[in-house]
Amino acid sequence: MSVLQVPADANVAKGISLTLAAILVFGVQDVMVKIMVNDYPFTQVVMVRFWGVGVFILAWLWREGTLRTAFKSKRPLLQITRGTLLVTDIWCFSAALTFLPLADTQAIFMLFPIVTTMLAIPLLGEQVGLIRWVAIVVGFIGTLIVIRPGFQEFNMGVIFQLGAVFSFAGYTIVTRMLAPHDRTSTSMAYMALVGIVLSTAVGITSFENFGPKGWLMIGGIIITANIAHTLFTMSLREAPASILQPFNFMMLPVAIVFSFIAFGDLIDGISLIGAMITVGAGLTVWWRERQKKIRTGAGIRGEIR
Protein backbone atom coordinates (compact mmCIF):
# COMPACT_ATOMS: atom_id res chain seq x y z
CA MET A 1 0.00 0.00 0.00
CA SER A 2 1.27 3.46 -0.90
CA VAL A 3 2.17 5.87 1.86
CA LEU A 4 1.64 9.64 1.62
CA GLN A 5 5.14 11.04 1.61
CA VAL A 6 6.01 13.94 3.91
CA PRO A 7 8.71 16.31 2.57
CA ALA A 8 12.13 15.75 4.10
CA ASP A 9 12.26 19.34 5.35
CA ALA A 10 8.83 19.15 7.02
CA ASN A 11 8.50 19.81 10.73
CA VAL A 12 5.12 18.26 11.51
CA ALA A 13 5.21 18.96 15.25
CA LYS A 14 5.94 22.64 14.64
CA GLY A 15 3.23 22.82 11.96
CA ILE A 16 0.65 21.33 14.34
CA SER A 17 1.72 23.69 17.14
CA LEU A 18 1.36 26.73 14.86
CA THR A 19 -2.07 25.52 13.70
CA LEU A 20 -3.31 25.07 17.26
CA ALA A 21 -1.92 28.49 18.21
CA ALA A 22 -3.79 30.03 15.27
CA ILE A 23 -7.04 28.34 16.37
CA LEU A 24 -6.63 29.75 19.89
CA VAL A 25 -6.07 33.25 18.50
CA PHE A 26 -9.12 32.89 16.25
CA GLY A 27 -11.09 31.87 19.35
CA VAL A 28 -10.10 35.10 21.08
CA GLN A 29 -11.05 37.04 17.95
CA ASP A 30 -14.50 35.40 17.83
CA VAL A 31 -15.16 36.43 21.44
CA MET A 32 -14.34 40.06 20.61
CA VAL A 33 -16.47 39.95 17.45
CA LYS A 34 -19.44 38.63 19.43
CA ILE A 35 -19.05 41.44 21.97
CA MET A 36 -18.90 44.04 19.19
CA VAL A 37 -21.83 42.78 17.10
CA ASN A 38 -24.04 42.88 20.19
CA ASP A 39 -23.50 46.67 20.33
CA TYR A 40 -22.80 47.72 16.72
CA PRO A 41 -24.02 46.72 13.23
CA PHE A 42 -22.21 43.55 12.14
CA THR A 43 -21.63 45.05 8.68
CA GLN A 44 -19.66 47.89 10.29
CA VAL A 45 -17.56 45.49 12.36
CA VAL A 46 -16.77 43.41 9.26
CA MET A 47 -15.89 46.57 7.29
CA VAL A 48 -13.33 47.82 9.80
CA ARG A 49 -11.93 44.30 10.17
CA PHE A 50 -11.31 44.13 6.42
CA TRP A 51 -9.67 47.54 6.45
CA GLY A 52 -7.13 46.24 8.93
CA VAL A 53 -6.59 42.80 7.40
CA GLY A 54 -6.70 44.01 3.79
CA VAL A 55 -4.18 46.79 4.36
CA PHE A 56 -1.91 44.31 6.17
CA ILE A 57 -2.03 41.88 3.22
CA LEU A 58 -1.39 44.59 0.61
CA ALA A 59 1.47 46.02 2.69
CA TRP A 60 2.97 42.54 3.03
CA LEU A 61 2.79 41.98 -0.75
CA TRP A 62 4.40 45.39 -1.33
CA ARG A 63 7.19 44.50 1.11
CA GLU A 64 7.71 41.19 -0.71
CA GLY A 65 7.94 43.10 -4.00
CA THR A 66 5.00 41.26 -5.61
CA LEU A 67 2.23 43.87 -5.30
CA ARG A 68 2.83 45.34 -8.77
CA THR A 69 2.18 42.04 -10.54
CA ALA A 70 -0.23 40.53 -8.00
CA PHE A 71 -3.38 41.80 -9.73
CA LYS A 72 -2.48 40.14 -13.06
CA SER A 73 -4.93 37.25 -12.92
CA LYS A 74 -5.82 34.73 -15.61
CA ARG A 75 -9.29 34.39 -14.05
CA PRO A 76 -10.18 37.83 -12.62
CA LEU A 77 -13.95 37.21 -12.44
CA LEU A 78 -13.34 34.02 -10.51
CA GLN A 79 -11.01 35.92 -8.17
CA ILE A 80 -13.74 38.51 -7.55
CA THR A 81 -16.22 35.70 -6.89
CA ARG A 82 -13.81 34.15 -4.38
CA GLY A 83 -13.41 37.44 -2.53
CA THR A 84 -17.18 38.00 -2.51
CA LEU A 85 -17.80 34.54 -1.04
CA LEU A 86 -15.29 35.19 1.75
CA VAL A 87 -16.91 38.53 2.64
CA THR A 88 -20.33 36.83 2.62
CA ASP A 89 -18.99 34.09 4.89
CA ILE A 90 -17.73 36.64 7.44
CA TRP A 91 -20.93 38.70 7.20
CA CYS A 92 -23.05 35.62 7.89
CA PHE A 93 -20.81 34.35 10.70
CA SER A 94 -20.81 37.77 12.39
CA ALA A 95 -24.59 38.11 12.01
CA ALA A 96 -25.09 34.62 13.49
CA LEU A 97 -23.15 35.68 16.60
CA THR A 98 -25.84 38.28 17.34
CA PHE A 99 -28.38 35.43 17.74
CA LEU A 100 -26.43 32.33 18.84
CA PRO A 101 -23.85 31.44 21.49
CA LEU A 102 -20.31 31.15 20.15
CA ALA A 103 -20.16 27.40 20.76
CA ASP A 104 -23.38 26.80 18.78
CA THR A 105 -22.14 28.80 15.79
CA GLN A 106 -18.96 26.72 15.64
CA ALA A 107 -20.95 23.49 16.07
CA ILE A 108 -22.97 24.34 12.95
CA PHE A 109 -19.85 25.53 11.09
CA MET A 110 -18.31 22.07 11.47
CA LEU A 111 -20.59 21.13 8.56
CA PHE A 112 -18.44 23.01 6.03
CA PRO A 113 -16.12 20.10 4.99
CA ILE A 114 -19.24 18.05 4.23
CA VAL A 115 -20.78 20.83 2.13
CA THR A 116 -17.44 21.38 0.36
CA THR A 117 -17.34 17.72 -0.67
CA MET A 118 -20.96 17.86 -1.80
CA LEU A 119 -20.35 20.97 -3.96
CA ALA A 120 -17.16 19.50 -5.42
CA ILE A 121 -19.22 16.86 -7.22
CA PRO A 122 -21.00 19.21 -9.70
CA LEU A 123 -18.47 22.07 -9.65
CA LEU A 124 -15.16 20.16 -9.80
CA GLY A 125 -16.42 16.91 -11.28
CA GLU A 126 -15.09 14.90 -8.33
CA GLN A 127 -16.16 11.29 -7.89
CA VAL A 128 -17.54 10.47 -4.44
CA GLY A 129 -17.79 6.87 -3.29
CA LEU A 130 -20.22 5.21 -0.92
CA ILE A 131 -18.27 5.97 2.27
CA ARG A 132 -18.11 9.69 1.56
CA TRP A 133 -21.79 9.78 0.59
CA VAL A 134 -22.65 8.13 3.90
CA ALA A 135 -20.43 10.68 5.69
CA ILE A 136 -22.24 13.54 3.92
CA VAL A 137 -25.65 12.24 5.02
CA VAL A 138 -24.45 11.59 8.59
CA GLY A 139 -22.89 15.05 8.74
CA PHE A 140 -26.18 16.69 7.82
CA ILE A 141 -28.00 14.53 10.40
CA GLY A 142 -25.53 15.69 13.05
CA THR A 143 -26.19 19.34 12.16
CA LEU A 144 -29.94 18.76 12.27
CA ILE A 145 -29.47 17.42 15.81
CA VAL A 146 -27.67 20.66 16.71
CA ILE A 147 -30.33 22.99 15.28
CA ARG A 148 -33.32 20.69 16.01
CA PRO A 149 -35.77 22.24 13.51
CA GLY A 150 -39.36 22.13 14.79
CA PHE A 151 -38.30 21.38 18.38
CA GLN A 152 -37.20 24.86 19.39
CA GLU A 153 -37.97 28.47 18.50
CA PHE A 154 -36.98 29.59 15.01
CA ASN A 155 -33.62 31.36 15.21
CA MET A 156 -32.30 33.59 12.44
CA GLY A 157 -28.81 32.80 13.70
CA VAL A 158 -29.14 29.27 12.29
CA ILE A 159 -29.99 30.66 8.85
CA PHE A 160 -27.05 33.07 8.94
CA GLN A 161 -24.66 30.35 10.09
CA LEU A 162 -25.78 27.96 7.35
CA GLY A 163 -25.15 30.85 4.96
CA ALA A 164 -21.61 31.07 6.38
CA VAL A 165 -21.14 27.32 5.88
CA PHE A 166 -22.20 27.36 2.23
CA SER A 167 -20.30 30.60 1.50
CA PHE A 168 -17.05 29.24 2.94
CA ALA A 169 -17.54 25.93 1.15
CA GLY A 170 -18.00 27.86 -2.11
CA TYR A 171 -14.90 29.93 -1.30
CA THR A 172 -12.92 26.71 -0.80
CA ILE A 173 -14.14 25.28 -4.11
CA VAL A 174 -13.28 28.46 -6.04
CA THR A 175 -9.83 28.50 -4.38
CA ARG A 176 -9.23 25.00 -5.80
CA MET A 177 -10.42 26.17 -9.23
CA LEU A 178 -7.93 29.05 -9.19
CA ALA A 179 -4.95 27.06 -7.91
CA PRO A 180 -3.75 25.92 -11.39
CA HIS A 181 -4.12 29.41 -12.90
CA ASP A 182 -3.01 32.12 -10.43
CA ARG A 183 -0.27 32.59 -7.87
CA THR A 184 -1.02 32.71 -4.15
CA SER A 185 -0.04 36.38 -4.10
CA THR A 186 -2.68 37.11 -6.75
CA SER A 187 -5.40 35.39 -4.73
CA MET A 188 -4.34 37.29 -1.61
CA ALA A 189 -4.33 40.64 -3.40
CA TYR A 190 -7.81 40.13 -4.89
CA MET A 191 -9.15 38.88 -1.55
CA ALA A 192 -7.87 42.01 0.19
CA LEU A 193 -9.13 44.46 -2.43
CA VAL A 194 -12.55 42.83 -2.92
CA GLY A 195 -12.94 42.55 0.85
CA ILE A 196 -12.16 46.22 1.44
CA VAL A 197 -14.39 47.51 -1.39
CA LEU A 198 -17.40 45.23 -0.79
CA SER A 199 -17.44 45.44 3.00
CA THR A 200 -17.07 49.23 2.85
CA ALA A 201 -19.86 49.64 0.30
CA VAL A 202 -22.26 47.92 2.72
CA GLY A 203 -20.79 48.81 6.12
CA ILE A 204 -20.45 52.55 5.59
CA THR A 205 -24.25 52.93 5.26
CA SER A 206 -24.79 52.07 8.94
CA PHE A 207 -21.66 53.52 10.54
CA GLU A 208 -21.83 54.39 14.24
CA ASN A 209 -19.08 55.93 16.32
CA PHE A 210 -17.30 53.18 18.21
CA GLY A 211 -15.98 55.22 21.07
CA PRO A 212 -12.63 54.53 22.83
CA LYS A 213 -13.63 51.07 24.12
CA GLY A 214 -15.07 50.06 20.74
CA TRP A 215 -11.98 51.14 18.82
CA LEU A 216 -9.79 49.27 21.32
CA MET A 217 -11.86 46.14 20.72
CA ILE A 218 -11.70 46.62 16.93
CA GLY A 219 -7.94 46.99 17.19
CA GLY A 220 -7.83 43.66 19.01
CA ILE A 221 -9.95 42.00 16.29
CA ILE A 222 -7.64 43.28 13.55
CA ILE A 223 -4.48 42.26 15.41
CA THR A 224 -5.74 38.76 16.25
CA ALA A 225 -7.00 38.21 12.68
CA ASN A 226 -3.59 39.11 11.22
CA ILE A 227 -1.72 37.02 13.81
CA ALA A 228 -3.96 33.99 13.22
CA HIS A 229 -3.67 34.13 9.43
CA THR A 230 0.11 34.56 9.71
CA LEU A 231 0.34 31.53 12.02
CA PHE A 232 -1.70 29.43 9.58
CA THR A 233 0.58 30.49 6.71
CA MET A 234 3.64 29.60 8.78
CA SER A 235 2.14 26.21 9.67
CA LEU A 236 1.74 25.32 5.99
CA ARG A 237 5.43 26.03 5.45
CA GLU A 238 6.27 23.44 8.11
CA ALA A 239 3.88 20.57 7.32
CA PRO A 240 1.48 19.40 4.57
CA ALA A 241 -2.10 20.67 4.72
CA SER A 242 -3.32 17.06 4.51
CA ILE A 243 -1.80 16.47 7.95
CA LEU A 244 -2.87 19.80 9.49
CA GLN A 245 -6.45 19.88 8.21
CA PRO A 246 -8.04 17.65 10.92
CA PHE A 247 -6.80 20.02 13.62
CA ASN A 248 -9.21 22.66 12.30
CA PHE A 249 -11.92 20.75 14.15
CA MET A 250 -10.28 21.92 17.39
CA MET A 251 -12.14 25.19 16.75
CA LEU A 252 -15.20 23.58 18.33
CA PRO A 253 -13.75 22.71 21.79
CA VAL A 254 -11.96 26.08 21.82
CA ALA A 255 -15.27 27.83 21.11
CA ILE A 256 -17.02 25.82 23.83
CA VAL A 257 -14.41 26.78 26.45
CA PHE A 258 -14.18 30.45 25.39
CA SER A 259 -17.97 30.77 25.18
CA PHE A 260 -18.27 29.58 28.78
CA ILE A 261 -15.40 31.75 30.08
CA ALA A 262 -16.50 34.96 28.31
CA PHE A 263 -20.29 34.69 28.37
CA GLY A 264 -21.21 31.85 30.73
CA ASP A 265 -22.79 29.95 27.81
CA LEU A 266 -22.45 26.18 27.88
CA ILE A 267 -23.47 24.06 24.88
CA ASP A 268 -26.26 21.63 25.77
CA GLY A 269 -25.77 17.87 25.64
CA ILE A 270 -27.93 17.26 22.56
CA SER A 271 -26.11 19.93 20.53
CA LEU A 272 -22.75 18.53 21.65
CA ILE A 273 -23.75 15.03 20.48
CA GLY A 274 -24.86 16.44 17.12
CA ALA A 275 -21.62 18.39 16.79
CA MET A 276 -19.54 15.30 17.52
CA ILE A 277 -21.45 13.37 14.84
CA THR A 278 -20.76 16.15 12.33
CA VAL A 279 -17.08 16.32 13.30
CA GLY A 280 -16.79 12.54 12.91
CA ALA A 281 -18.36 12.73 9.46
CA GLY A 282 -16.01 15.55 8.50
CA LEU A 283 -12.97 13.59 9.63
CA THR A 284 -14.22 10.61 7.58
CA VAL A 285 -14.46 12.82 4.49
CA TRP A 286 -10.93 14.10 5.13
CA TRP A 287 -9.61 10.55 5.58
CA ARG A 288 -11.17 9.35 2.32
CA GLU A 289 -9.82 12.36 0.41
CA ARG A 290 -6.37 11.66 1.86
CA GLN A 291 -6.60 8.03 0.78
CA LYS A 292 -7.53 9.20 -2.72
CA LYS A 293 -4.46 11.46 -2.83
CA ILE A 294 -2.27 8.59 -1.71
CA ARG A 295 -3.58 6.38 -4.53
CA THR A 296 -3.34 9.06 -7.22
CA GLY A 297 -0.11 10.63 -6.00
CA ALA A 298 -1.76 14.04 -5.79
CA GLY A 299 -0.04 17.01 -4.20
CA ILE A 300 0.12 17.18 -0.45
CA ARG A 301 0.07 20.94 0.08
CA GLY A 302 -3.01 23.08 -0.04
CA GLU A 303 -5.02 25.79 1.65
CA ILE A 304 -6.17 25.58 5.22
CA ARG A 305 -8.48 27.94 6.96
Side-chain angles (χ1 to χ4, degrees), residues 129-148:
L130 178 61
I131 292 178
R132 281 200 282 175
W133 269 119
V134 171
I136 289 171
V137 173
V138 170
F140 275 106
I141 291 173
T143 303
L144 287 175
I145 292 173
V146 174
I147 63 180
R148 279 163 281 172

Side-chain angles (χ1 to χ4, degrees), residues 162-176:
L162 289 175
V165 168
F166 278 86
S167 297
F168 189 71
Y171 165 83
T172 304
I173 293 293
V174 174
T175 298
R176 293 181 186 177

Side-chain angles (χ1 to χ4, degrees), residues 27-239:
V28 174
Q29 176 197 254
D30 289 343
V31 168
M32 291 189 288
V33 169
K34 182 168 178 60
I35 292 172
M36 289 298 292
V37 298
N38 286 333
D39 296 325
Y40 300 96
F42 71 87
T43 52
Q44 177 181 340
V45 175
V46 173
M47 174 186 69
V48 180
R49 177 187 183 277
F50 263 108
W51 286 353
V53 175
V55 169
F56 174 83
I57 290 174
L58 295 175
W60 181 78
L61 292 174
W62 175 78
R63 183 175 177 275
E64 293 290 311
T66 57
L67 182 60
R68 181 174 297 181
T69 59
F71 290 101
K72 294 181 180 179
S73 171
K74 296 178 182 178
R75 307 289 294 275
L77 290 179
L78 206 56
Q79 287 285 6
I80 293 171
T81 299
R82 177 178 180 269
T84 301
L85 286 168
L86 181 61
V87 175
T88 303
D89 162 43
I90 297 175
W91 271 336
C92 289
F93 188 89
S94 300
L97 286 174
T98 65
F99 297 95
L100 294 171
L102 178 58
D104 287 31
T105 58
Q106 284 292 0
I108 297 172
F109 196 78
M110 292 298 100
L111 184 63
F112 92 85
I114 307 295
V115 175
T116 301
T117 300
M118 185 181 68
L119 292 179
I121 299 169
L123 297 179
L124 297 179
E126 289 191 2
Q127 300 295 318
V128 175
L130 178 61
I131 292 178
R132 281 200 282 175
W133 269 119
V134 171
I136 289 171
V137 173
V138 170
F140 275 106
I141 291 173
T143 303
L144 287 175
I145 292 173
V146 174
I147 63 180
R148 279 163 281 172
F151 294 94
Q152 55 185 3
E153 290 185 12
F154 177 77
N155 193 320
M156 276 300 299
V158 172
I159 303 299
F160 280 121
Q161 192 61 358
L162 289 175
V165 168
F166 278 86
S167 297
F168 189 71
Y171 165 83
T172 304
I173 293 293
V174 174
T175 298
R176 293 181 186 177
M177 290 179 176
L178 285 165
H181 303 287
D182 287 344
R183 300 181 300 274
T184 301
S185 59
T186 298
S187 294
M188 292 176 64
Y190 270 88
M191 180 185 69
L193 184 61
V194 172
I196 291 171
V197 171
L198 188 56
S199 65
T200 301
V202 176
I204 201 68
T205 61
S206 58
F207 193 88
E208 299 178 11
N209 184 27
F210 282 129
K213 182 180 178 181
W215 280 113
L216 183 64
M217 194 71 69
I218 281 293
I221 291 172
I222 292 171
I223 291 171
T224 51
N226 285 321
I227 290 174
H229 283 292
T230 301
L231 288 170
F232 266 135
T233 301
M234 292 170 62
S235 72
L236 286 170
R237 293 174 180 171
E238 301 295 336

